[in-house]
Amino acid sequence: MKTKNINLDRLVGNWESINLNPTIIIYRNGDNYLLSIIHMNETSKQASPATYKIQGDEDGLFINYNLKRTAISYDTKLDILTVSALGDYMRN
């Protein structure tokens, strides 16, 4: 899937938050691209992923996160992923 000139294959991988938000993993499953947000429970040290299908339209890429449209953008020069609700991410 290509939307707004973003090749989703370039986004596949592990992304670490610049703002100490949960880690994100983007991967491909068949024709779909999925974004998993890995929430860590500080008490139990258990990881619990929440997975969302990456969708795209004329306005760009997004996921439906907490029942809201959450935009995803990517800066090719800096290799920085931005998830509007969570901030900026660097490739891990």
Side-chain angles (χ1 to χ4, degrees):
M1 177 201 307
K2 270 182 126 176
T3 305
K4 283 240 173 185
N5 301 323
I6 296 176
N7 179 349
L8 284 173
D9 285 328
R10 291 185 69 179
L11 302 184
V12 169
N14 295 339
W15 295 85
E16 222 168 85
S17 174
I18 294 171
N19 311 325
L20 302 176
N21 281 318
T23 296
I24 286 178
I25 300 170
I26 295 178
Y27 58 98
R28 187 175 181 171
N29 184 0
D31 289 337
N32 295 318
Y33 286 85
L34 303 174
L35 183 150
S36 288
I37 301 172
I38 312 301
H39 296 278
M40 284 297 288
N41 181 316
E42 293 301 319
T43 309
S44 68
K45 302 296 182 204
Q46 290 288 100
S48 58
T51 302
Y52 307 89
K53 181 179 175 186
I54 298 175
Q55 301 175 65
D57 62 19
E58 63 278 352
D59 293 327
L61 297 174
F62 66 95
I63 58 171
N64 288 316
Y65 177 67
N66 290 340
L67 303 176
K68 294 184 186 138
R69 179 188 171 113
T70 300
I72 299 169
S73 58
Y74 176 66
D75 185 320
T76 53
K77 287 189 177 84
L78 299 176
D79 194 32
I80 290 181
L81 180 76
T82 302
V83 179
S84 64
L86 299 171
D88 294 337
Y89 282 80
M90 294 176 63
R91 198 177 296 272
N92 183 348

